[in-house]
Amino acid sequence: DIQMTQSPSSLSASVGDRVTITCRASQTISNYLNWYQQKPGKAPKLLIYAASSLQSGVPSRFSGSGSGTDFTLTISSLQSEDFATYYCQQSYSNPITFGQGTRLEIK
Amino acid sequence: EVHLVESGGGLVKPGGSLRLSCAASGFTFSDFGMNWVRQAPGKGLEWVSSISSSSTYIYYADSVKGRFTISRDNAKNSLYLQMNSLRVEDTAVYYCARLSGKYCSGGNCPIDYWGQGTLVTVSA
């Protein structure tokens, strides 16, 4: 199975900050890497697919990059509604696996 | 608008069974692969099972293989998960999720829509 490791596990930041979350795969997954946002009590929401493609309707302050085993999610200027938990997921091969999540909290 | 509505969750004793359903609307259900993904209380996301649009390809996580069965009825726009021999560690919110159909690898695609989830609690 492909293991997905996110860092950090939690992060405190302020509105307006630039934030970067990283995700590392245990083996190469090309760019079959997706990012999701989840707020408490809600279902996850797709933000980025194919490592760097912005899902329709997602604000442009979200961006993704990377290929192979190392990936990043960047939020260019944090808004209050961005405080949530973020998950990376590989869709390269079965079983589909998620990172453990990064909780983004208000400083 | 795409809607996925799960039902069938509840409290069940270890060793018991439950059948989850997911009613889909707002899109041509028979065109899309579907997943079940679960989330234990306070924990991360865990993929459970996938089924292709015509049920040709079915996959399970090792943790549920032999106990859970995924199926779909395209005429009824519905997805199902039959869960047998339930264990305490199966306690979770179970999400029905649609595979986007774009940028896929081996039938795996990004998940572009999720239901609201249904809670399954396995406890004596």
Coordinates of all heavy atoms in Angstrom, one line a residue, chain A residues 1 30-34 36 38 41-46 49-50 55-56 87 89 91-100, chain B residues 35 37 39 43-47 50 59-62 95 99-100 102-106 108-116:
Chain A
D1 N 0.8 -1.2 0.0 CA 0.0 0.0 0.0 C 0.9 1.3 0.0 O 2.0 1.3 0.6 CB -0.9 0.0 1.2 CG -1.9 -1.1 1.3 OD1 -1.9 -2.0 0.4 OD2 -2.7 -1.2 2.2
S30 N 3.2 9.7 -9.7 CA 3.1 10.7 -10.7 C 2.5 11.9 -10.2 O 3.0 12.5 -9.2 CB 2.3 10.1 -11.9 OG 2.3 11.0 -13.0
N31 N 1.4 12.4 -10.8 CA 0.7 13.5 -10.2 C -0.8 13.2 -9.8 O -1.7 14.0 -9.9 CB 0.7 14.7 -11.1 CG 0.1 14.5 -12.4 OD1 -0.1 13.4 -12.8 ND2 -0.3 15.6 -13.1
Y32 N -1.0 11.9 -9.5 CA -2.3 11.4 -9.0 C -2.6 11.8 -7.6 O -2.7 10.9 -6.7 CB -2.5 10.0 -9.3 CG -2.6 9.7 -10.8 CD1 -1.4 9.3 -11.5 CD2 -3.8 9.8 -11.5 CE1 -1.5 9.1 -12.9 CE2 -3.8 9.6 -12.9 CZ -2.7 9.2 -13.6 OH -2.7 9.0 -14.9
L33 N -2.5 13.0 -7.3 CA -2.6 13.5 -5.9 C -3.7 14.6 -5.8 O -3.8 15.5 -6.6 CB -1.3 14.1 -5.5 CG -1.0 14.5 -4.0 CD1 -1.6 15.8 -3.6 CD2 -1.4 13.4 -3.0
N34 N -4.6 14.4 -4.8 CA -5.7 15.3 -4.6 C -5.7 15.8 -3.2 O -5.2 15.2 -2.3 CB -7.0 14.5 -4.9 CG -6.9 13.6 -6.1 OD1 -6.7 14.2 -7.2 ND2 -7.1 12.3 -6.0
Y36 N -8.2 17.7 -0.2 CA -9.5 17.9 0.3 C -9.5 18.8 1.5 O -8.6 18.8 2.3 CB -10.2 16.6 0.7 CG -10.3 15.7 -0.5 CD1 -9.3 14.8 -0.8 CD2 -11.5 15.6 -1.3 CE1 -9.4 13.9 -1.9 CE2 -11.6 14.8 -2.4 CZ -10.5 13.9 -2.7 OH -10.6 13.0 -3.7
Q38 N -11.9 19.7 5.0 CA -13.0 19.2 5.8 C -13.2 20.1 7.0 O -12.3 20.3 7.7 CB -12.8 17.7 6.2 CG -14.1 17.2 6.9 CD -13.9 15.8 7.3 OE1 -12.8 15.3 7.7 NE2 -15.0 15.0 7.3
G41 N -17.9 18.3 11.3 CA -19.3 17.9 11.1 C -19.7 17.9 9.7 O -20.9 17.6 9.4
K42 N -18.8 18.2 8.7 CA -19.2 18.2 7.3 C -18.4 17.2 6.5 O -17.4 16.7 7.0 CB -18.9 19.6 6.8 CG -19.6 20.7 7.5 CD -21.1 20.7 7.2 CE -21.8 21.9 7.8 NZ -23.3 21.8 7.6
A43 N -18.9 16.9 5.3 CA -18.1 16.0 4.4 C -16.9 16.8 3.8 O -16.9 18.0 3.7 CB -19.1 15.6 3.3
P44 N -15.9 16.0 3.4 CA -14.8 16.7 2.7 C -15.2 17.3 1.4 O -16.2 17.0 0.8 CB -13.8 15.5 2.5 CG -14.2 14.4 3.4 CD -15.7 14.6 3.6
K45 N -14.4 18.3 1.0 CA -14.6 19.0 -0.3 C -13.3 18.9 -1.1 O -12.2 19.2 -0.6 CB -15.0 20.4 0.1 CG -15.1 21.4 -1.1 CD -15.3 22.8 -0.7 CE -15.2 23.8 -1.8 NZ -15.3 25.2 -1.3
L46 N -13.5 18.6 -2.4 CA -12.3 18.5 -3.2 C -11.8 20.0 -3.6 O -12.6 20.8 -4.0 CB -12.7 17.8 -4.5 CG -11.6 17.7 -5.6 CD1 -10.4 16.9 -5.1 CD2 -12.2 17.1 -6.9
Y49 N -7.1 18.7 -7.7 CA -6.9 17.3 -8.2 C -5.7 17.3 -9.2 O -5.3 18.4 -9.7 CB -8.2 16.8 -8.9 CG -8.6 17.5 -10.2 CD1 -8.2 17.0 -11.4 CD2 -9.3 18.7 -10.1 CE1 -8.6 17.7 -12.6 CE2 -9.7 19.3 -11.2 CZ -9.3 18.9 -12.5 OH -9.7 19.5 -13.6
A50 N -5.2 16.1 -9.5 CA -4.0 16.0 -10.4 C -2.9 16.9 -9.9 O -2.2 17.6 -10.7 CB -4.4 16.3 -11.8
Q55 N -10.2 22.7 -8.5 CA -11.5 22.2 -8.8 C -12.4 23.4 -9.0 O -12.2 24.5 -8.4 CB -12.0 21.4 -7.6 CG -13.5 21.0 -7.6 CD -13.8 19.9 -8.7 OE1 -13.0 19.6 -9.5 NE2 -15.0 19.4 -8.6
S56 N -13.4 23.2 -9.8 CA -14.4 24.3 -10.2 C -15.0 24.9 -8.9 O -15.4 24.1 -8.0 CB -15.5 23.7 -11.1 OG -16.4 24.7 -11.3
Y87 N -6.7 17.2 3.9 CA -6.2 15.8 3.6 C -5.7 15.7 2.2 O -6.3 16.2 1.2 CB -7.3 14.8 3.7 CG -7.9 14.6 5.1 CD1 -9.0 15.4 5.6 CD2 -7.3 13.7 6.0 CE1 -9.5 15.2 6.8 CE2 -7.8 13.6 7.3 CZ -8.9 14.3 7.7 OH -9.4 14.1 9.0
Q89 N -4.7 12.8 -0.8 CA -5.1 11.5 -1.2 C -4.4 11.1 -2.5 O -4.4 11.9 -3.4 CB -6.6 11.5 -1.4 CG -7.2 10.2 -1.9 CD -8.3 10.4 -2.9 OE1 -8.4 11.4 -3.6 NE2 -9.1 9.4 -3.2
S91 N -4.7 8.8 -5.8 CA -5.6 8.0 -6.6 C -4.8 7.3 -7.7 O -5.4 7.0 -8.8 CB -6.7 8.9 -7.2 OG -6.2 10.1 -7.8
Y92 N -3.6 7.0 -7.4 CA -2.7 6.3 -8.4 C -3.0 4.8 -8.5 O -3.0 4.2 -9.5 CB -1.2 6.6 -8.0 CG -0.2 5.9 -8.9 CD1 0.0 6.4 -10.2 CD2 0.5 4.8 -8.5 CE1 0.9 5.8 -11.1 CE2 1.4 4.2 -9.3 CZ 1.6 4.7 -10.6 OH 2.5 4.1 -11.4
S93 N -3.2 4.2 -7.3 CA -3.4 2.8 -7.3 C -4.2 2.4 -6.1 O -4.2 3.1 -5.0 CB -2.1 2.0 -7.3 OG -1.4 2.2 -6.1
N94 N -4.9 1.2 -6.2 CA -5.6 0.6 -5.0 C -4.6 0.0 -4.0 O -3.6 -0.6 -4.4 CB -6.6 -0.4 -5.5 CG -7.8 0.2 -6.1 OD1 -8.4 1.2 -5.5 ND2 -8.3 -0.4 -7.1
P95 N -4.9 0.1 -2.7 CA -6.0 0.8 -2.2 C -5.8 2.3 -2.2 O -4.6 2.8 -1.9 CB -6.1 0.3 -0.7 CG -4.7 0.0 -0.4 CD -4.1 -0.6 -1.7
I96 N -6.8 3.1 -2.5 CA -6.7 4.6 -2.3 C -6.3 4.9 -0.9 O -6.9 4.3 0.1 CB -8.1 5.2 -2.6 CG1 -8.5 4.9 -4.1 CG2 -8.1 6.7 -2.3 CD1 -9.9 5.2 -4.3
T97 N -5.4 5.8 -0.7 CA -5.0 6.1 0.7 C -5.0 7.7 0.9 O -4.7 8.4 -0.1 CB -3.6 5.5 1.0 OG1 -2.7 5.8 -0.1 CG2 -3.7 4.1 1.3
F98 N -5.3 8.0 2.1 CA -5.3 9.4 2.5 C -4.1 9.7 3.5 O -3.7 8.8 4.2 CB -6.6 9.8 3.2 CG -7.8 9.7 2.4 CD1 -8.5 8.5 2.2 CD2 -8.3 10.9 1.8 CE1 -9.6 8.5 1.4 CE2 -9.5 10.9 1.0 CZ -10.1 9.6 0.8
G99 N -3.7 11.0 3.5 CA -2.8 11.4 4.5 C -3.6 11.5 5.8 O -4.8 11.4 5.9
Q100 N -2.8 11.7 6.9 CA -3.5 11.6 8.3 C -4.2 12.9 8.6 O -4.9 13.0 9.6 CB -2.4 11.4 9.3 CG -1.6 12.5 9.8 CD -0.4 12.9 8.8 OE1 -0.3 12.4 7.7 NE2 0.5 13.7 9.3
Chain B
N35 N -17.7 5.3 -4.5 CA -16.9 4.9 -3.4 C -17.7 4.9 -2.1 O -18.7 5.7 -2.0 CB -15.7 5.8 -3.1 CG -14.5 5.5 -4.0 OD1 -14.5 4.6 -4.8 ND2 -13.4 6.2 -3.7
V37 N -16.4 5.8 1.8 CA -15.2 6.2 2.6 C -15.7 6.4 4.0 O -16.8 6.9 4.2 CB -14.7 7.5 2.0 CG1 -13.5 8.0 2.9 CG2 -14.2 7.4 0.6
Q39 N -15.0 7.4 8.3 CA -14.2 8.3 9.2 C -14.6 7.9 10.6 O -15.7 8.2 11.1 CB -14.4 9.8 8.9 CG -13.5 10.7 9.7 CD -13.6 12.1 9.2 OE1 -14.7 12.6 8.7 NE2 -12.5 12.8 9.2
K43 N -11.0 10.8 13.9 CA -9.9 10.3 13.1 C -9.9 10.8 11.7 O -10.8 11.5 11.3 CB -9.9 8.7 13.1 CG -9.9 8.1 14.5 CD -8.6 8.5 15.2 CE -8.5 7.8 16.6 NZ -7.3 8.1 17.3
G44 N -9.0 10.3 10.8 CA -8.9 10.7 9.5 C -9.8 9.8 8.5 O -10.6 9.0 9.0
L45 N -9.7 10.0 7.3 CA -10.5 9.4 6.2 C -9.9 8.1 5.8 O -8.7 7.9 5.7 CB -10.6 10.3 5.0 CG -11.2 11.7 5.3 CD1 -11.0 12.6 4.1 CD2 -12.7 11.5 5.5
E46 N -10.7 7.1 5.7 CA -10.3 5.7 5.3 C -11.2 5.2 4.1 O -12.4 5.1 4.3 CB -10.4 4.7 6.4 CG -9.9 3.3 6.0 CD -10.2 2.3 7.1 OE1 -10.9 2.6 8.0 OE2 -9.6 1.2 7.0
W47 N -10.6 5.0 3.0 CA -11.3 4.4 1.9 C -11.8 3.0 2.2 O -11.0 2.2 2.8 CB -10.5 4.4 0.6 CG -11.0 3.6 -0.5 CD1 -12.0 3.9 -1.3 CD2 -10.6 2.2 -0.9 NE1 -12.3 2.9 -2.2 CE2 -11.4 1.9 -2.0 CE3 -9.6 1.4 -0.4 CZ2 -11.3 0.6 -2.6 CZ3 -9.5 0.1 -1.1 CH2 -10.3 -0.2 -2.2
S50 N -14.8 0.5 -3.6 CA -15.1 1.2 -4.9 C -15.9 0.3 -5.8 O -15.7 -1.0 -5.8 CB -13.8 1.6 -5.6 OG -13.1 2.5 -4.9
Y59 N -13.6 -3.2 -5.6 CA -12.4 -3.3 -4.8 C -12.8 -3.0 -3.3 O -13.7 -2.2 -3.1 CB -11.3 -2.2 -5.2 CG -10.9 -2.4 -6.7 CD1 -11.5 -1.5 -7.7 CD2 -10.0 -3.3 -7.1 CE1 -11.1 -1.7 -9.0 CE2 -9.6 -3.5 -8.4 CZ -10.2 -2.6 -9.4 OH -9.8 -2.7 -10.7
Y60 N -12.0 -3.6 -2.4 CA -12.2 -3.4 -1.0 C -10.9 -3.2 -0.3 O -9.9 -3.7 -0.7 CB -12.9 -4.7 -0.4 CG -14.2 -5.0 -1.0 CD1 -14.4 -6.0 -1.9 CD2 -15.4 -4.4 -0.5 CE1 -15.6 -6.3 -2.4 CE2 -16.6 -4.7 -1.0 CZ -16.7 -5.7 -2.0 OH -18.0 -6.0 -2.5
A61 N -11.0 -2.4 0.8 CA -9.9 -2.3 1.7 C -9.7 -3.6 2.4 O -10.7 -4.4 2.6 CB -10.2 -1.2 2.7
D62 N -8.5 -4.0 2.7 CA -8.2 -5.2 3.4 C -9.0 -5.3 4.7 O -9.4 -6.4 5.1 CB -6.7 -5.4 3.7 CG -5.9 -5.7 2.4 OD1 -6.5 -6.1 1.4 OD2 -4.7 -5.6 2.5
Y95 N -19.4 7.7 4.4 CA -19.7 8.6 3.3 C -19.8 7.9 2.0 O -19.0 7.0 1.6 CB -18.6 9.7 3.1 CG -18.5 10.6 4.3 CD1 -17.4 10.5 5.2 CD2 -19.4 11.7 4.4 CE1 -17.3 11.4 6.2 CE2 -19.2 12.6 5.5 CZ -18.2 12.5 6.4 OH -18.0 13.4 7.4
L99 N -16.9 9.3 -7.8 CA -15.6 9.5 -8.5 C -15.8 10.5 -9.7 O -16.8 10.3 -10.4 CB -15.1 8.2 -9.0 CG -14.8 7.1 -7.9 CD1 -14.3 5.8 -8.5 CD2 -13.9 7.7 -6.9
S100 N -14.9 11.4 -9.8 CA -15.2 12.5 -10.8 C -15.1 12.1 -12.2 O -15.7 12.7 -13.1 CB -14.1 13.6 -10.5 OG -12.8 13.1 -10.9
K102 N -12.5 12.3 -14.0 CA -11.5 13.0 -14.6 C -10.1 12.7 -13.9 O -10.1 12.6 -12.7 CB -11.7 14.5 -14.7 CG -12.0 15.1 -13.3 CD -12.4 16.6 -13.5 CE -12.8 17.2 -12.1 NZ -13.3 18.5 -12.3
Y103 N -9.1 12.6 -14.8 CA -7.7 12.3 -14.3 C -7.7 11.1 -13.4 O -7.4 11.1 -12.3 CB -7.1 13.5 -13.6 CG -5.6 13.4 -13.8 CD1 -5.0 13.7 -15.0 CD2 -4.8 13.0 -12.8 CE1 -3.7 13.6 -15.2 CE2 -3.4 12.9 -12.9 CZ -2.8 13.2 -14.2 OH -1.5 13.1 -14.3
C104 N -8.1 10.0 -14.0 CA -8.2 8.7 -13.3 C -7.0 7.8 -13.6 O -6.4 7.9 -14.7 CB -9.5 8.0 -13.7 SG -11.0 9.0 -13.4
S105 N -6.7 6.9 -12.7 CA -5.7 5.9 -12.9 C -6.2 4.6 -12.4 O -6.6 4.4 -11.3 CB -4.4 6.3 -12.0 OG -3.5 5.2 -12.1
G106 N -6.3 3.6 -13.4 CA -6.8 2.3 -13.0 C -8.2 2.3 -12.4 O -8.5 1.5 -11.5
N108 N -9.3 4.6 -10.5 CA -9.4 5.5 -9.4 C -9.4 7.0 -9.8 O -8.6 7.3 -10.7 CB -8.1 5.3 -8.5 CG -8.1 3.9 -7.9 OD1 -9.1 3.4 -7.5 ND2 -6.9 3.3 -8.0
C109 N -10.2 7.8 -9.3 CA -10.4 9.2 -9.7 C -10.5 10.1 -8.5 O -10.8 9.5 -7.4 CB -11.6 9.4 -10.6 SG -12.0 8.1 -11.8
P110 N -10.3 11.3 -8.6 CA -10.6 12.2 -7.5 C -12.1 12.1 -7.1 O -12.9 11.8 -8.0 CB -10.3 13.6 -8.0 CG -9.4 13.4 -9.2 CD -9.7 12.1 -9.7
I111 N -12.4 12.3 -5.9 CA -13.8 12.3 -5.4 C -14.3 13.7 -5.5 O -13.9 14.6 -4.7 CB -13.9 11.7 -4.0 CG1 -13.4 10.3 -4.0 CG2 -15.3 11.8 -3.5 CD1 -13.2 9.7 -2.6
D112 N -15.3 13.9 -6.3 CA -15.8 15.3 -6.5 C -17.1 15.6 -5.7 O -17.4 16.8 -5.5 CB -15.9 15.7 -7.9 CG -16.9 14.9 -8.7 OD1 -17.4 13.9 -8.2 OD2 -17.1 15.2 -9.9
Y113 N -17.8 14.6 -5.3 CA -19.0 14.9 -4.5 C -19.1 13.8 -3.4 O -18.8 12.6 -3.6 CB -20.3 14.8 -5.3 CG -20.4 16.1 -6.2 CD1 -20.0 16.1 -7.5 CD2 -21.0 17.3 -5.6 CE1 -20.1 17.2 -8.3 CE2 -21.1 18.4 -6.4 CZ -20.7 18.3 -7.8 OH -20.8 19.5 -8.5
W114 N -19.5 14.3 -2.2 CA -19.7 13.4 -1.0 C -21.1 13.6 -0.5 O -21.7 14.7 -0.5 CB -18.7 13.8 0.1 CG -17.2 13.8 -0.3 CD1 -16.6 14.6 -1.2 CD2 -16.2 12.9 0.2 NE1 -15.3 14.3 -1.3 CE2 -15.0 13.3 -0.4 CE3 -16.2 11.9 1.2 CZ2 -13.8 12.6 -0.1 CZ3 -15.1 11.3 1.5 CH2 -13.9 11.6 0.9
G115 N -21.6 12.6 0.1 CA -22.9 12.7 0.9 C -22.6 13.3 2.2 O -21.4 13.6 2.6
Q116 N -23.6 13.4 3.0 CA -23.4 14.0 4.4 C -23.0 13.0 5.4 O -22.6 13.4 6.5 CB -24.8 14.7 4.8 CG -25.8 13.8 5.5 CD -26.4 12.8 4.5 OE1 -26.3 12.9 3.3 NE2 -27.1 11.8 5.1

